[in-house]
Amino acid sequence: MSTGTLNQYIQFVERVYRTSQGNILARLLSLRDEHVGNRNLRSSDIATLVEGNCIAPLDEMIICHLQCVKALYARDFMGAYDNQSAFVAAVVRLLQGQKEENWALPLMYTVCLDLRLVAQKAEGCDPQSNGKILEKAAESLLACFRVCAADNRSSDTETKKLGMLNLVNQLLKVYFRINKLHLCKPLIRAIDSSPFKDQFPLAQQITYRYFVGRKAMFDSDYKSADEYLSYAFQNCHRKSNKNKRLILTYLIPVKMLLGFMPSKLLLQKYDLMQFWDLVSAVKDGNLRGIDQVMEEHESFFIRAGIYLIVEKLKITAYRNLFRKVYLLENTHQIDIASFEAALQIMGQEDVDSDETQCIVANLIYDGKIKGYISYQHKKVVVSKQNAFPPLSSLY
Amino acid sequence: MSYFDFFCNIVKKDPLNNESIKGTCYQMCPQEETNLREHAGLVHLLEVSGPTRQLVKSYSRSAADSNMAIPRLLRPFSVLKQTIEHLLLSVTQRNDVSLACLYDFLNNRLRAIRQDMTIQRLPPDECIQLLEPMIRFHVYFGYRLSGCSINEFDPVLNKKYLLECMKWFLYCCDILEGQTKSNKVDNDLSELFSAWTLDKKPVQKLTCDKILMESLYILCNLDDMHPLFRFLTLRPEIKSAPLLRLAYEIAIANLKGNYVKVCRLSKNLCPLTFCAFNLYLPTLQRKALHIMSHGYSSKQLTVPTEVVRRWLAFDSNADVESTCQHYGLKANGVVHFAKGAFRSDVELIKPKTQVKDKLKLSIEEILSYGVKSKTKPNC
């Protein structure tokens, strides 16, 4: 779209606004559109040139937008943020005034996304801020969210409620970035209880499931984490490798915990070989190996928030190790001492009979071993059939 | 809204606020309140010792019609520091009232201190100095009073105050950490913390120990993963401190259900972390007995009571038997574990409090000991 002079641009925006063409309007007021490069729009005195030159709520928006562009060219990110934030506030007022229509939703999406991006940029340039700018941005986004969520009277096709998920996704991104996960809960509840839950565009649903899955993982609810992340992975566009890799970063450890090991091919395909050593160590019951992997990839695991899941995978490793001992001894009455020795050989040097029994008791309790311990005889008596049921059958 | 949330909001809204209210009350209790309380006969027994009276501002809920933000009713930091020293080092020496009564009084007055802190928006470096002794207080009394009836002591409320102080404290630490990072000043925070001493007498001082607080945060929330996520993001120097490392290992063992290891490691805890752990012990014991009733489930076979006592850190064999019976397991010298017999619907057994013999520490030691310098925390 060629935008020409400032006056032509203003007229163009105004015409699009009058004819309610949300998508084109959104493009014309986006920070990620080619008109941003147009030098004519970077006049020294935007405010006076625009004011009075165009209809009421639009002039304010155009001023905010163009000043934000100017600030970005001057690399003044804080100034850009302030302008974009004022822009969002103006959009909130516009939406509030519009009853029974939702054509302006694309504009809201664009402006909100731009706000988040500008806030991230400003955050990156100010080490002092510690997430405060993003937190402020989240407040602006919440103002939009409230307007959308409160639109109860409009018909199903015209309601602004259809814009909720897009905003929730933006907010989730912010909250995950500033590590304020407890704020996600009301948003998730709002979406899950919405009657439009399944009508939102697929792309938004995938993003949403990805974050909700990560949140579930963070709250140790692995079963729903698996559900959400699997949905995201299966529905993700086949060409967006980067997103698929991101989803797998979380889906793989969750799946492993539930007893499904990834193939080497998959890990190679998505460049996630950090997990390969872990997979083989868990399969072999190699506790020392797990410790080594944890040490080697510590910062990756901590950053991804999966360090403690890896720690929990040791329980699966115990089960695999004990199964090997059971197969080797080829009897259903196994000495605790054999298990103890196996643990010591595999890297738990400080383990003793008491602790070994405790580990076995836990595995029996979880249903990972079928049998019982005899304290007097210091033996584990396992079931003659299916003593070590496959992990994937347990959940 | 808790004080902590309020505090966060203030820090968020204007990080460099210069317009906060500065208190001008240089007594522990504002003159107005003193007059009122003396007149109305509302002086607490613990505010009188012999011929002298030392009133301390009491907590009152902020209400819509009352303006709390009046400088002459608010105590500045120096006075708050003095007040907390008075409360925790002198008043705690009184033995003419019951422990529950003492707790009640101190809890109320400490709450008033937090209120003053909030209204005046004290900076984080001052907050942590006041909050640290409060955390010790709530942990210690939570332990000492855990055997009391609900009429005398409410463990849930105590935990609420404790968490409020803890989160506030840790939040302040994070801000200070952020400031040092961005200022690129290479000053050691721990130095800043330990430089703070209250008293002239060498024994009687309150310290400010970040490692201990981080450890307590983990041990007071053993069923929660979030303190562990926090731990993982701490700086390596802090993570490697022996006491904090120990707390983390206990939490990890607990995560994996390894009750034998948890109880074994708990023997190395310092007094306050021991208090915190001890409050969790009944929960751990119940969980462990549940696991064992599956693991050792048998009609004929048993486990000696003595062994269960050793594994689960019970005080005596009699304790083991009464606890087992409480949860529906037969016990007479040996424990009969059976899958079906364990009753998970009965209430948790209350923690036992035989504090004196276990800690053997005076309260001023509890409130002032530090753990940082020692390589091995002793108990």
Side-chain angles (χ1 to χ4, degrees), chain A residues 2 4 6 27 48 75 105 140 162-163 208 244 248 261 278 367:
Chain A
S2 155
L6 180 59
R27 270 192 68 185
T48 43
R75 306 202 70 72
L105 284 178
S140 301
L162 293 170
Y208 175 71
K244 282 190 152 186
L248 281 177
M261 298 293 156
L278 185 65

Side-chain angles (χ1 to χ4, degrees), chain A residues 127-128 130 132 135-136 139 179-180 217-220 222 298 302 305-309 311-312 314-315 318 348 350 352-355 357-359 361-362 364-365 371-377, chain B residues 11-13 15 171 174-175 178-179 182-183 225-226 228-229 232-233 239 248 252 255-261 264 287 290-292 294-298 301-304 307 310-311 334 339:
Chain A
Q128 279 260 297
N130 248 329
K132 282 189 197 92
E135 236 169 289
K136 261 196 221 157
E139 272 168 41
N179 208 3
K180 289 260 154 76
M217 198 177 108
F218 191 67
D219 295 332
S220 319
Y222 303 115
E298 186 182 281
I302 291 179
I306 52 180
Y307 191 82
L308 295 175
I309 293 192
E311 187 71 54
K312 275 194 180 171
K314 282 186 185 166
I315 297 172
Y318 291 143
Q348 301 262 49
D350 58 344
D352 63 3
S353 171
D354 292 351
E355 219 183 305
Q357 288 184 46
C358 174
I359 292 171
N362 268 290
I364 295 174
Y365 176 72
Y372 63 90
I373 308 168
S374 159
Y375 180 82
Q376 278 88 352
H377 307 98
Chain B
V11 175
K12 248 179 267 161
K13 273 178 198 140
Y171 185 72
D174 290 346
I175 294 178
Q179 282 170 357
S182 57
N183 292 342
M225 297 273 273
H226 298 93
L228 298 178
F229 287 119
L232 291 174
T233 60
K239 267 204 253 186
Y248 175 71
I252 288 295
L255 191 72
K256 292 192 254 177
N258 195 335
Y259 44 84
V260 172
K261 194 170 179 186
R264 205 171 275 170
K287 218 165 78 181
H290 196 183
I291 291 170
M292 284 161 79
H294 279 75
Y296 296 86
S297 184
S298 163
L301 297 168
T302 55
V303 180
V307 173
R310 192 157 42 87
W311 282 352
V334 288
K339 248 186 270 189

Side-chain angles (χ1 to χ4, degrees), chain A residues 139-248:
Chain A
E139 272 168 41
S140 301
L141 297 178
L142 268 177
C144 283
F145 178 77
R146 269 179 225 118
V147 176
C148 292
D151 190 10
N152 289 323
R153 304 244 173 119
S154 312
S155 66
D156 279 3
T157 48
E158 284 165 339
T159 178
K160 289 193 271 288
K161 283 194 169 195
L162 293 170
M164 276 163 63
L165 189 58
N166 184 297
L167 286 171
V168 166
N169 285 338
Q170 296 291 339
L171 282 162
L172 289 173
K173 277 180 199 175
V174 173
Y175 291 152
F176 269 82
R177 191 171 271 259
I178 58 176
N179 208 3
K180 289 260 154 76
L181 297 195
H182 58 283
L183 298 173
C184 299
K185 208 172 159 190
L187 299 176
I188 294 171
R189 201 183 303 141
I191 294 300
D192 284 349
S193 64
S194 162
F196 302 102
K197 204 169 124 188
D198 303 314
Q199 291 171 40
F200 294 114
L202 184 62
Q204 290 182 18
Q205 295 211 40
I206 291 167
T207 312
Y208 175 71
R209 296 265 205 319
Y210 165 73
F211 282 111
V212 178
R214 281 182 66 187
K215 169 88 168 67
M217 198 177 108
F218 191 67
D219 295 332
S220 319
D221 180 1
Y222 303 115
K223 193 120 185 43
S224 13
D226 178 30
E227 226 165 86
Y228 288 120
L229 292 170
S230 295
Y231 178 95
F233 186 70
Q234 281 154 10
N235 290 286
C236 187
H237 193 280
R238 57 189 308 187
K239 285 209 178 117
S240 37
N241 259 320
K242 201 180 136 213
N243 284 344
K244 282 190 152 186
R245 183 176 186 270
L246 271 176
I247 299 169
L248 281 177

Side-chain angles (χ1 to χ4, degrees), chain B residues 58 82 118 132 139 153 171 217 246 254 284 329 339 370-371:
Chain B
S58 66
Q82 213 185 316
T118 311
E132 204 258 17
V139 171
F153 173 76
Y171 185 72
Y217 183 53
L246 178 66
N254 184 51
L284 178 79
L329 301 170
K339 248 186 270 189
V371 292

Side-chain angles (χ1 to χ4, degrees), chain B residues 311-344:
Chain B
W311 282 352
L312 299 180
F314 277 104
D315 285 334
S316 65
N317 289 351
D319 262 358
V320 177
E321 298 193 351
S322 66
T323 308
C324 284
Q325 277 151 12
H326 179 81
Y327 294 121
L329 301 170
K330 267 190 275 170
N332 42 2
V334 288
V335 184
H336 298 263
F337 284 108
K339 248 186 270 189
F342 188 88
R343 297 180 56 195
S344 37

Side-chain angles (χ1 to χ4, degrees), chain B residues 65-244:
Chain B
D65 64 334
S66 70
N67 185 6
M68 320 275 308
I70 303 165
R72 68 168 190 283
L73 299 181
L74 296 170
R75 297 158 292 177
F77 173 65
S78 61
V79 181
L80 290 175
K81 211 163 96 174
Q82 213 185 316
T83 311
I84 208 165
E85 179 193 3
H86 166 72
L87 289 173
L88 294 182
L89 297 178
S90 318
V91 179
T92 49
Q93 299 300 310
R94 296 275 294 258
N95 44 20
D96 51 338
V97 295
S98 74
L99 204 59
C101 173
L102 185 65
Y103 169 82
D104 221 39
F105 171 76
L106 292 172
N107 182 39
N108 177 288
R109 300 311 191 252
L110 290 176
R111 211 172 162 198
I113 292 183
R114 291 202 291 280
Q115 198 175 35
D116 279 13
M117 288 161 69
T118 311
I119 299 173
Q120 294 179 80
R121 306 178 185 185
L122 291 189
D125 58 319
E126 292 179 356
C127 285
I128 56 166
Q129 299 177 37
L130 297 170
L131 290 167
E132 204 258 17
M134 291 189 200
I135 294 169
R136 289 179 189 240
F137 163 81
H138 283 294
V139 171
Y140 178 69
F141 277 81
Y143 170 60
R144 288 289 306 268
L145 294 170
S146 53
C148 286
S149 76
I150 190 82
N151 300 326
E152 289 179 295
F153 173 76
D154 184 343
V156 177
L157 273 182
N158 185 57
K159 180 91 185 250
K160 183 179 159 254
Y161 297 134
L162 172 63
L163 282 182
E164 179 183 304
C165 295
M166 262 182 182
K167 285 184 180 162
W168 192 349
F169 179 91
L170 296 176
Y171 185 72
C172 289
C173 286
D174 290 346
I175 294 178
L176 291 173
E177 190 99 332
Q179 282 170 357
T180 30
K181 228 184 258 166
S182 57
N183 292 342
K184 298 223 162 53
V185 182
D186 197 25
N187 90 0
D188 186 8
L189 263 180
S190 56
E191 262 177 43
L192 191 135
F193 292 150
S194 57
W196 188 69
T197 49
L198 257 181
D199 214 77
K200 316 96 214 170
K201 281 173 257 170
V203 194
Q204 289 212 338
K205 62 176 183 190
L206 300 178
T207 47
C208 194
D209 197 317
K210 195 184 168 203
I211 299 294
L212 179 62
M213 295 302 119
E214 294 277 3
S215 312
L216 284 173
Y217 183 53
I218 292 179
L219 290 169
C220 287
N221 299 288
L222 274 175
D223 270 337
D224 194 345
M225 297 273 273
H226 298 93
L228 298 178
F229 287 119
R230 179 186 163 82
F231 169 85
L232 291 174
T233 60
L234 293 174
R235 280 189 292 134
E237 307 91 275
I238 298 177
K239 267 204 253 186
S240 57
L243 179 66
L244 189 52

Side-chain angles (χ1 to χ4, degrees), chain B residues 45-69:
Chain B
L45 182 63
L46 289 167
E47 291 174 318
V48 188
S49 71
T52 55
R53 281 183 170 192
Q54 176 58 68
L55 270 65
V56 181
K57 184 176 174 181
S58 66
Y59 175 78
S60 70
R61 216 170 273 283
S62 59
D65 64 334
S66 70
N67 185 6
M68 320 275 308

